[in-house]
Amino acid sequence: MQRCNGVFSAIGWAVISVCVLTMIGCSSGPAKKEKIDLFWPAPPSPAKIRYIDSFYGQSNYADKSSFKAALLGVETQGLQLKKPYGVTTSRDGKKMYVTDTKLHALVVFDFETESVYPFQTDAMGGLTTPLDVRIDSKERIFVSDSAAGRVNVYSKEGVTLLTLGDGEGLQRPTGIAIDEATNRLYVSDTPSHRILIYTLDGEFIDEMGERGSAPGELNFPISLAVDKKSNLYVVDSGNFRVQIFSPEGEFLRSIGKLGDSFGSFARPKGIALDSDENLYVLDAAFNNFQIFNGDGALMLFVGALGRRPGMFWLPTGIHIDKDDKIFVADSINARIQVFQLLDDEQPASDSAEK
């Protein structure tokens, strides 16, 4: 009987092992994603914006419900976003960088290796509350750290090259904009109602702004962007508008006002410009982004409150790459949603996907 039990055990474990290996093999890799076709505006109008994908973390590349993970306790989920705030991409489009205020880190999505990991810095470059992130043509990474009251500049390897703000009394930096045509870095200091101006090598140039509601005055400025003419766009959040300044700091015009109608703002956050210099403005109260043309006229809005693709819950940061892919930090939903601006002559079904 003992010999029979031994034979049974050997045979049984062999069968179980084969089954386990077979099931692990069958379940390896991410589950096949269902294709989602979402367009704005809705048909029959010609599509201008298409939903592409959502990025949550390593789970985008690993099957969270795999048999291997369940049976053997193997961790396949990896690093996940918790509360993303800012987002940008490398110039070659191979990596996405996301600031996460709950992780207190800059998170890197490597699209080529399908890996997600925290950006490793030296001891001097540790982050507390990272908000905005931008990358210049030299691959230097600029990150505003709100709680630390500074802007850190890193090499792509994580070496801290510069820390900005101490000499200028920077209180709580939020938005960053880079203008390589004028060699300028703009930093919004929200509680002091001003914009600080540096060279891209960290030399302080000047500051602009004082608190108020008149044209050219600021009330809790946050996000920034620069157009092809080096004009500066400022989300003047306490005045519920976007103000536009010349490279010399002269007020040019403003877009938006307080309200709940189309083209108005309630809680404006991130801004970005596409290749046609249309302006995209996130609103954390409306849970959408509105698109304005060069004259300030509303063209389209995308989004509503919710968790489904194309919906948002407290969106904060936005970035548009050279191919007019639109990256939105959807903070409470803990994801980055990606959309594609479609050419007028490009059929929606032929648009490229990440």
Side-chain angles (χ1 to χ4, degrees), residues 4 10 43 46 66 68-69 76 101 164 191 203 217 222 225 232 268 273 278 301 303 320:
C4 291
S66 72
K68 180 179 180 180
T76 61
T101 58
L164 309 177
E203 179 184 348
E217 295 179 336
I222 45 174
L232 176 67
L273 296 158
N278 298 311
F301 69 90
I320 302 176

Side-chain angles (χ1 to χ4, degrees), residues 34-57:
E34 181 181 353
K35 184 178 179 181
I36 299 172
D37 284 327
L38 290 175
F39 302 94
W40 293 265
S45 300
K48 299 295 183 183
I49 303 288
R50 181 181 183 180
Y51 169 81
I52 298 297
D53 207 347
S54 292
F55 291 89
Y56 295 84

Side-chain angles (χ1 to χ4, degrees), residues 17-70:
S17 298
V18 171
C19 292
V20 168
L21 291 172
T22 302
M23 295 178 76
I24 289 172
C26 292
S27 63
S28 62
K32 187 176 181 181
K33 297 171 67 173
E34 181 181 353
K35 184 178 179 181
I36 299 172
D37 284 327
L38 290 175
F39 302 94
W40 293 265
S45 300
K48 299 295 183 183
I49 303 288
R50 181 181 183 180
Y51 169 81
I52 298 297
D53 207 347
S54 292
F55 291 89
Y56 295 84
Q58 192 62 51
S59 61
N60 280 88
Y61 308 113
D63 182 5
K64 293 183 291 184
S65 61
S66 72
F67 182 78
K68 180 179 180 180

Side-chain angles (χ1 to χ4, degrees), residues 88-93 95 97 106 132-143 151-157 159 161-162 164 176-186 198-202 319 322:
T88 195
T89 54
S90 58
R91 295 298 178 100
D92 59 12
K95 291 181 180 179
Y97 295 82
L106 180 64
D132 207 1
V133 55
R134 293 290 180 263
I135 300 176
D136 69 5
S137 61
K138 296 180 180 178
E139 298 186 87
R140 295 179 296 186
I141 302 167
F142 296 71
V143 180
V151 174
N152 290 346
V153 185
Y154 307 101
S155 70
K156 63 180 180 179
E157 294 82 15
V159 176
L161 305 174
L162 298 166
L164 309 177
I176 298 173
I178 290 174
D179 183 21
E180 300 208 56
T182 60
N183 190 37
R184 286 185 176 183
L185 170 71
Y186 294 94
Y198 299 86
T199 69
L200 293 179
D201 293 320
H319 165 68
K322 61 182 177 60

Side-chain angles (χ1 to χ4, degrees), residues 290-336:
Q290 300 184 75
I291 308 174
F292 301 85
N293 65 16
D295 297 322
L298 179 67
M299 301 169 62
L300 182 64
F301 69 90
V302 175
L305 176 62
R307 293 189 175 276
R308 296 195 300 272
M311 305 177 79
F312 303 103
W313 193 351
L314 194 63
T316 49
I318 184 170
H319 165 68
I320 302 176
D321 72 8
K322 61 182 177 60
D323 298 317
D324 281 329
K325 281 192 172 63
I326 306 156
F327 299 76
V328 178
D330 187 9
S331 65
I332 301 300
N333 286 324
R335 64 188 176 186
I336 303 297

Side-chain angles (χ1 to χ4, degrees), residues 154-318:
Y154 307 101
S155 70
K156 63 180 180 179
E157 294 82 15
V159 176
T160 304
L161 305 174
L162 298 166
T163 59
L164 309 177
D166 288 341
E168 297 72 50
L170 190 58
Q171 296 180 37
R172 189 164 65 85
T174 49
I176 298 173
I178 290 174
D179 183 21
E180 300 208 56
T182 60
N183 190 37
R184 286 185 176 183
L185 170 71
Y186 294 94
V187 180
S188 57
D189 190 16
T190 299
S192 69
H193 316 285
R194 60 180 178 155
I195 309 298
L196 302 184
I197 308 169
Y198 299 86
T199 69
L200 293 179
D201 293 320
E203 179 184 348
F204 178 70
I205 299 174
D206 202 354
E207 64 179 65
M208 57 183 285
E210 59 180 345
R211 191 172 193 181
S213 58
E217 295 179 336
L218 301 172
N219 191 21
F220 296 104
I222 45 174
S223 299
L224 307 172
V226 176
D227 67 15
K228 295 174 184 177
K229 296 180 180 178
S230 295
N231 296 318
L232 176 67
Y233 293 65
V234 180
V235 173
D236 187 12
S237 67
N239 289 321
F240 309 97
R241 64 189 179 187
V242 174
Q243 294 201 73
I244 305 168
F245 298 88
S246 73
E248 294 73 36
E250 298 175 354
F251 169 79
L252 299 178
R253 63 188 185 279
S254 65
I255 297 173
K257 61 181 180 179
L258 175 62
D260 57 6
S261 59
F262 299 136
S264 300
F265 302 126
R267 197 178 174 188
K269 286 284 188 179
I271 55 172
L273 296 158
D274 66 22
S275 61
D276 292 325
E277 304 215 311
N278 298 311
L279 177 67
Y280 295 60
V281 184
L282 289 175
D283 198 299
F286 299 152
N287 292 289
N288 67 9
F289 60 84
Q290 300 184 75
I291 308 174
F292 301 85
N293 65 16
D295 297 322
L298 179 67
M299 301 169 62
L300 182 64
F301 69 90
V302 175
L305 176 62
R307 293 189 175 276
R308 296 195 300 272
M311 305 177 79
F312 303 103
W313 193 351
L314 194 63
T316 49
I318 184 170

